[in-house]
Amino acid sequence: MSDDSSKGKRAPSPDRRDFLKWGATGVAASLAACAPPIPPEDGPSPEGPNTPPAADGANGGQSSAAATDQTAPPPPPEVGDLVDPELMRAENWQEPWTWRPDHWPGAPLELNLIRNQNPGPSPSPGNPAPAIFSYNGTSPGPTVRVRNDDVLKIRVRNTLPLNEQQTQVGPSPDPVDMTLDTDLEVCRLAEREVRGGDPDDPRPCNPFFFPEQLLKVIHPEVRPGWSLKGHVNGQHATHVTNLHLHGLHVDPVANPDGTHSDNVLLRILPRADWEARKASGDPELQTLGDHEHVGELEYALRLSFERDDVVMPHPPGTHWYHPHSHGSTHDQVASGLAGFLIVEGDVDEAINLALTGESRPDPETKTGPYDYRERLMLIQRVFVGSVDLDAGQRRNNLRFPPLTAVNGVRPASLMRMRPGAVERWRVLNGSVDGSGTKRFMVLEGQYVQRDNRMWRVVAEGEGDDRRRRLEPVTLEELEQAKLPLYQLSFDGITLVTEEDGEARHTIKDLSRQNAGTRNPFTAPAEEDEDEARARLRAYEACFRDGDSLRRCFVRPNEVYLGNANRTDVFFKAPLDAAGKTFTVFAQEAHVHTDNFQGQLQIEIASGVAAAFRPNFDVVAGYIHVSGEPVEGGDFDVLGLRDQLPPVPPLLQPVKEEELRAPPEEALHTGADAGSARTRVISYSGTGGAVFPSIPVPEEFASAHPELENLVWGVQDGVAVLLPNLTRTMAINPEFDLARNPDPELPRKFMPDDPERARVLVNTAEEWVLYNNSQMLWGHTDRERFPQPGSYRGHFYPYVMSRAEGQRRFWEDSEFMVTSKASDHPFHLHINPMWVMRIEVPDERGELHNVLPEPRWMDTVPIPRNGGRVVIRTRFDDFVGTWVHHCHILLHEDMGMMQVVECTDRAEDANYHPRPEVARADAADEAVSAIYPKPSPEIMFRQSLSFVDPNELGHQVYPGFELEVPRLAEE
């Protein structure tokens, strides 16, 4: 596909005007009049159930132009019912109720998974439209606080009804993104089947009115959800569940007494599923599948573990629990099925003693001379609705919770502190989709969200004459308003630093990270420059070079939190702050996807403001400081570092010598003695809404007529590739380009897939993670640049650098990003990761490390467009299987997950031996010399192809080698 069209600008054709209009109003992905039964990549549109989402890639709804006005200030909105914190008598901060095992000796925590009333009341103040599911009727679930040498017992009971959904088997197209010709044909057939209607009826036809009939027309091989005995890829079996203890280092296999530990392959079926199987008469369904259980399951998490005949307590930290049954994970967690899991231990006791004089005070009560207490903040961007695919015809199966809830509560709650008071906040980003990444901070002053902007509350007058008004603020003003924060931990692990070769726990003064630097993203508008252009230029400036990237990703007095990340921070109310109000703020990050750039381009090209899509900034709460200063005076938070206990063996930094295979191991593996254990893994894929328009080779279409309307369809007489129902989300466990410069296709999840990482227990490995999800560019004016076979928001794609694409856009705005990518948050179960490097590509594709120093994490974003992450991890203590996956949970449901097998037989390990490994302080070129990075051509093929090895869903997609499109030189 080449382009030899002339340059120049003219009015866009009606086709392009429609695309731009839809892109700017949330309707670029489909001509349908209502949302599909299966949501697009990250859920339904903000417009509601009757507005399909915009073309948004792997990352959910389009980003709006800006959080703040950088040009002329808009007229201020009404203050409304905003509470004046100075006039409130008591704080109204709320947290989930707490359950402790030592308060209920021998008894388990009962987690009953229920389907809420329909329409019914809200399960929490944060959900004016009720969530579909909950634990025991509340959302979030109870907070679990457990000692680090205890046994945590949990009984999960599945009270949900039958899985009714019809599930496709084998190759299946995304009905939202089939071609127009195919849509019309299958819709007429489905409508005729349901209504007996005239197939030549000229009235508009919407396929989403007939989801089950549509499935039978486009894919006659479907099975009811209750009949599926194992995991398949795609959203299915919404009423099957299990439990994952996110962040715990515990045995993943069953316990000797028959209870279970952290095994996400378990499937707890509704009792109705088992009854339906028995009544079916099918011999294959008369027995349960591997890992299947009916109705309920007993979990027993043994937090302490033995090492060299020594009992080791679990390191203390802030973790969480949520369901993890493949196919239903997104919908269940998006519905609020999650809760805090706090492991208490020596770090907590040291801090408590220093601040209160007690080792175990009530964490929710202000204690001691500094009014010390803990607060929990579960920030969940729950804008993306959950879908009960098995609800049946009499129930509403699509729910729209509020944009964001904190501890299930909206609007923002109030905290009261005295001057000098010190608090520890345990913050969890429980968001599930690609728009959930946050920058956590505290702002001086009171701020609110109105009209898709941030405003400062200005109070005037006293007593009965007190009045308040709102002033707009810029991003730069928000940056300058941040107050000091002190970070204790990340992902539930107390920070570790090395001093003179010795590891010790530490506390980080966040005011010092990139202090005195300017964030390119907050640059103000130039004279006479409108807001959209200013924001787009600022966004592009972030990717200019390594310095810009580091200044954009790492800012003073804030913590960058992706999906599933946690942080513990200390906040100290200033001694001179009496009478002042502060805002706890989680600002939506934009640099982790291409959505923001794509939306701004549409707005500039169309001239239509993109106010339809709200920013997902979160005002998590307010702090009002009043009263006399605390008795303890001015506490030095950093002085707590000297009180912290030693770093346990599990959390010592992973040294290079630990990666080296000793001679005895090398004899069994065939590696050279002393070589390092390494492997390279890639994540890749794109969403259906932004899938590029790719003509299918005539020979392939002729050879595979059985795949018409399943893998390929006809548009305007041209055979084109159809977006797959499960998207192209997949993982390549053998992406080592030094060993194989022409890698095999990535693979979707299968529990017993032989293509998996096999690691040796009680050893360490270095893993390099690449993200092949790739932004693509293209012409959007089909009148000037004909694209036979393209349709709706699907355009011919071109592979080029960000810099080249941006140059072309500013020359002629019809040329823009047409396929957008997202960073994939990589989560490894059971063992934490010592993250060495997070390398983001600049506008030319060169990689730059933005991680200031190595740290422990259990979920790390892999930057898109060929970004790279280097981790080291120990596979200590436990033999068995667990998984790694993307924590954009719909990506996981679609197949972006793979099994890790830990063995005690050296001959079974399949790591790649290397003489050299990466260093945290190495130049990026030096790391690329050891672990070659992919070319744009390799990323293109990897991101649009996959193998699904499942027996039921087996397919090789697309089935032919993709030709990498190039834009002809002009």
Side-chain angles (χ1 to χ4, degrees):
M1 293 177 284
S2 63
D3 167 40
D4 54 4
S5 301
S6 61
K7 293 182 181 180
K9 300 182 181 181
R10 38 180 219 181
S13 65
D15 182 80
R16 180 173 183 251
R17 280 198 299 267
D18 287 343
F19 165 70
L20 295 175
K21 177 180 66 178
W22 295 331
T25 57
V27 197
S30 175
L31 295 180
C34 71
I38 299 174
E41 195 55 46
D42 286 310
S45 160
E47 294 288 308
N50 292 323
T51 307
D56 62 351
N59 194 46
Q62 295 278 6
S63 294
S64 68
T68 58
D69 187 1
Q70 302 286 8
T71 55
E78 295 294 326
V79 175
D81 59 353
L82 182 68
V83 173
D84 187 340
E86 283 197 37
L87 304 181
M88 290 192 66
R89 297 182 178 179
E91 68 175 50
N92 62 348
W93 180 260
Q94 299 182 51
E95 295 182 6
W97 64 279
T98 299
W99 187 89
R100 290 181 176 273
D102 52 3
H103 291 177
W104 300 88
L109 168 64
E110 302 269 0
L111 290 180
N112 296 308
L113 175 55
I114 68 169
R115 187 168 67 177
N116 297 332
Q117 283 182 272
N118 184 27
S122 165
S124 74
N127 287 345
I132 299 175
F133 311 116
S134 68
Y135 287 128
N136 308 332
T138 63
S139 176
T143 294
V144 177
R145 284 186 175 267
V146 59
R147 299 293 299 171
N148 64 346
D149 57 356
D150 210 337
V151 177
L152 173 60
K153 297 181 179 180
I154 301 176
R155 177 181 295 122
V156 178
R157 182 175 291 116
N158 186 352
T159 73
L160 300 179
L162 182 72
N163 277 289
E164 300 182 51
Q165 182 206 11
Q166 298 293 310
T167 302
Q168 302 93 318
V169 176
S172 304
D174 186 341
V176 183
D177 290 291
M178 295 170 69
T179 69
L180 291 177
D181 292 353
T182 303
D183 281 347
L184 181 62
E185 175 187 352
V186 300
C187 184
R188 293 295 186 211
L189 290 171
E191 186 174 48
R192 186 175 187 181
E193 179 178 335
V194 175
R195 299 178 179 172
D198 181 358
D200 298 321
D201 189 336
R203 292 176 300 174
C205 178
N206 192 319
F208 306 123
F209 290 138
F210 322 109
E212 293 192 10
Q213 291 76 15
L214 177 63
L215 285 178
K216 293 176 183 177
V217 171
I218 66 174
H219 199 306
E221 189 177 1
V222 295
R223 299 191 182 186
W226 55 262
S227 69
L228 299 174
K229 292 186 66 173
H231 299 277
V232 296
N233 293 304
Q235 287 181 284
H236 68 282
T238 311
H239 293 172
V240 175
T241 194
N242 61 18
L243 188 67
H244 171 45
L245 293 309
H246 187 122
L248 291 192
H249 177 68
V250 292
D251 200 330
V253 302
N255 299 312
D257 62 0
T259 58
H260 292 269
S261 190
D262 193 8
N263 179 2
V264 298
L265 301 183
L266 296 170
R267 306 179 77 230
I268 308 175
L269 311 178
R271 293 192 180 276
D273 279 23
W274 179 230
E275 296 302 321
R277 289 189 193 180
K278 291 188 294 184
S280 69
D282 186 340
E284 290 294 321
L285 299 180
Q286 304 307 301
T287 58
L288 292 171
D290 293 341
H291 305 295
E292 287 191 332
H293 302 264
V294 178
E296 63 183 28
L297 204 60
E298 302 280 346
Y299 287 82
L301 290 308
R302 291 170 167 80
L303 297 182
S304 60
F305 48 92
E306 289 190 12
R307 182 179 297 176
D308 298 327
D309 298 324
V310 177
V311 176
M312 310 287 292
H314 195 288
T318 303
H319 306 297
W320 64 308
Y321 63 89
H322 59 80
H324 206 301
S325 180
H326 187 60
S328 67
T329 308
H330 168 92
D331 285 323
Q332 292 188 5
V333 181
S335 193
L337 288 172
F340 274 100
L341 172 58
I342 311 298
V343 178
E344 299 175 328
D346 55 1
V347 172
D348 311 292
E349 292 178 356
I351 293 170
N352 292 338
L353 281 169
L355 284 162
T356 73
E358 303 178 32
S359 60
R360 297 186 64 185
D362 181 350
E364 297 181 27
T365 301
K366 296 176 182 179
T367 306
Y370 303 101
D371 281 6
Y372 177 70
R373 65 159 293 179
E374 296 184 10
R375 295 188 196 267
L376 308 182
M377 300 182 186
L378 196 164
I379 299 173
Q380 186 174 33
R381 193 194 85 90
V382 290
F383 160 74
V384 171
S386 54
V387 181
D388 189 349
L389 301 172
D390 296 292
Q393 297 300 314
R394 291 175 295 176
R395 293 183 59 86
N396 175 16
N397 72 342
L398 180 62
R399 304 291 177 85
F400 290 90
L403 300 183
T404 305
V406 179
N407 297 338
V409 175
R410 290 190 80 218
S413 301
L414 177 69
M415 300 167 260
R416 283 193 175 274
M417 297 178 68
R418 289 198 290 165
V422 179
E423 295 189 352
R424 174 183 179 177
W425 299 344
R426 299 178 184 260
V427 184
L428 160 61
N429 184 2
S431 303
V432 302
D433 71 314
S435 294
T437 302
K438 296 287 181 284
R439 298 175 180 269
F440 183 83
M441 63 190 75
V442 179
L443 304 174
E444 183 172 4
Q446 185 178 9
Y447 296 82
V448 299
Q449 266 193 307
R450 294 286 192 275
D451 299 341
N452 207 29
R453 300 172 185 273
M454 292 300 296
W455 303 75
R456 181 190 295 110
V457 180
V458 179
E460 299 172 330
E462 299 292 338
D464 294 340
D465 294 328
R466 186 178 175 84
R467 297 290 183 270
R468 289 172 302 143
R469 59 183 175 84
L470 300 180
E471 290 182 348
V473 292
T474 65
L475 292 174
E476 179 65 22
E477 288 172 329
L478 289 178
E479 177 108 354
Q480 294 172 356
K482 292 186 293 187
L483 289 172
L485 286 174
Y486 303 91
Q487 187 178 25
L488 173 67
S489 73
F490 197 90
D491 279 357
I493 302 172
T494 307
L495 298 181
V496 174
T497 188
E498 291 187 275
E499 298 179 2
D500 299 325
E502 182 179 353
R504 58 172 293 181
H505 284 313
T506 190
I507 298 170
K508 187 173 182 179
D509 181 354
L510 295 181
S511 68
R512 298 178 182 175
Q513 58 181 16
N514 262 339
T517 65
R518 183 118 184 223
N519 185 353
F521 189 72
T522 66
E526 298 176 0
E527 187 176 358
D528 298 327
E529 185 177 38
D530 64 64
E531 182 179 353
R533 284 176 171 79
R535 294 275 32 89
L536 181 56
R537 290 191 185 278
Y539 181 91
E540 292 176 353
C542 286
F543 295 87
R544 194 77 67 220
D545 52 34
D547 178 64
S548 296
L549 284 167
R550 282 182 282 271
R551 288 188 289 117
C552 193
F553 275 85
V554 182
R555 302 304 307 153
N557 286 319
E558 68 175 46
V559 184
Y560 189 94
L561 295 174
N563 291 8
N565 285 148
R566 291 92 65 207
T567 189
D568 286 26
V569 295
F570 291 107
F571 175 75
K572 183 178 69 172
L575 280 172
D576 60 353
K580 293 184 178 181
T581 299
F582 305 130
T583 302
V584 183
F585 186 48
Q587 184 181 43
E588 182 185 5
H590 293 289
V591 291
H592 64 294
T593 76
D594 298 321
N595 282 0
F596 192 71
Q597 181 171 16
Q599 182 57 55
L600 289 170
Q601 289 180 347
I602 290 175
E603 182 172 337
I604 291 169
S606 67
V608 179
F612 73 94
R613 191 279 201 188
N615 283 288
F616 299 113
D617 297 337
V618 184
V619 175
Y622 296 113
I623 306 164
H624 188 63
V625 181
S626 60
E628 296 296 322
V630 295
E631 291 81 0
D634 190 7
F635 183 78
D636 178 15
V637 175
L638 293 179
L640 285 172
R641 289 183 293 193
D642 297 332
Q643 308 300 317
L644 297 177
V647 179
L650 181 68
L651 300 181
Q652 293 284 330
V654 182
K655 301 292 188 181
E656 181 176 330
E657 53 265 27
E658 296 182 63
L659 307 174
R660 302 289 177 182
E664 183 179 357
E665 177 185 326
L667 288 175
H668 293 284
T669 62
D672 292 335
S675 57
R677 310 178 196 90
T678 71
R679 65 182 75 236
V680 185
I681 296 172
S682 71
Y683 277 45
S684 60
T686 192
V690 294
F691 195 86
S693 181
I694 299 177
V696 172
E698 182 178 348
E699 57 272 20
F700 179 83
S702 300
H704 296 283
E706 77 282 0
L707 296 180
E708 185 175 6
N709 294 341
L710 298 177
V711 171
W712 61 273
V714 176
Q715 168 66 24
D716 297 330
V718 177
V720 294
L721 191 62
L722 295 179
N724 189 269
L725 178 62
T726 62
R727 319 301 196 257
T728 55
M729 307 303 170
I731 298 172
N732 194 330
E734 292 289 338
F735 195 68
D736 195 333
L737 299 181
R739 295 166 53 93
N740 182 12
D742 185 18
E744 300 294 327
L745 297 183
R747 303 171 72 82
K748 286 185 177 287
F749 176 68
M750 183 174 72
D752 54 353
D753 189 353
E755 300 294 326
R756 61 174 67 175
R758 290 186 172 86
V759 301
L760 183 60
V761 71
N762 295 324
T763 67
E765 292 186 4
E766 180 167 276
W767 288 16
V768 172
L769 312 171
Y770 278 106
N771 183 350
N772 288 321
S773 296
Q774 180 185 48
M775 68 189 311
L776 300 172
W777 298 77
H779 291 291
T780 60
D781 189 336
R782 293 189 178 95
E783 184 177 295
R784 294 168 57 193
F785 305 96
Q787 304 174 48
S790 66
Y791 59 102
R792 295 205 291 270
H794 305 274
F795 300 93
Y796 282 5
Y798 297 106
V799 176
M800 62 184 61
S801 70
R802 182 188 293 273
E804 174 64 11
Q806 291 169 171
R807 181 188 66 80
R808 290 177 177 268
F809 170 80
W810 288 111
E811 290 179 354
D812 187 346
S813 62
E814 72 83 29
F815 189 87
M816 62 179 67
V817 178
T818 53
S819 292
K820 298 177 284 293
S822 70
D823 298 356
H824 291 298
F826 171 91
H827 174 44
L828 178 65
H829 288 207
I830 305 300
N831 296 287
M833 303 174 288
W834 183 244
V835 180
M836 304 278 291
R837 307 172 66 92
I838 300 176
E839 298 177 79
V840 183
D842 65 18
E843 63 182 13
R844 298 174 304 279
E846 299 300 318
L847 297 178
H848 304 274
N849 183 24
V850 299
L851 187 66
E853 61 273 327
R855 69 179 177 197
W856 288 106
M857 303 174 69
D858 64 40
T859 307
V860 58
I862 316 174
R864 63 202 180 281
N865 295 312
R868 178 171 62 199
V869 171
V870 180
I871 67 171
R872 293 176 181 176
T873 187
R874 299 185 183 94
F875 303 101
D876 283 349
D877 307 308
F878 306 123
V879 172
T881 59
W882 49 87
V883 298
H884 62 84
H885 65 90
C886 178
H887 225 284
I888 298 176
L889 293 181
L890 196 55
H891 292 186
E892 181 269 309
D893 283 336
M894 295 298 182
M896 194 172 267
M897 180 164 73
Q898 285 192 337
V899 167
V900 177
E901 179 181 343
C902 188
T903 176
D904 56 4
R905 290 165 45 90
E907 55 267 35
D908 293 337
N910 62 356
Y911 57 78
H912 297 164
R914 264 185 172 79
E916 293 183 87
V917 292
R919 297 195 323 271
D921 59 352
D924 301 285
E925 296 81 3
V927 180
S928 296
I930 304 171
Y931 301 103
K933 62 182 183 180
S935 66
E937 293 77 13
I938 288 177
M939 285 191 281
F940 181 84
R941 293 192 174 100
Q942 289 280 304
S943 192
L944 297 174
S945 310
F946 65 83
V947 173
D948 189 340
N950 278 278
E951 180 180 351
L952 286 178
H954 180 74
Q955 58 179 309
V956 178
Y957 180 89
F960 57 90
E961 184 169 334
L962 294 171
E963 177 184 351
V964 181
R966 289 293 185 187
L967 197 63
E969 291 296 328
E970 299 177 351

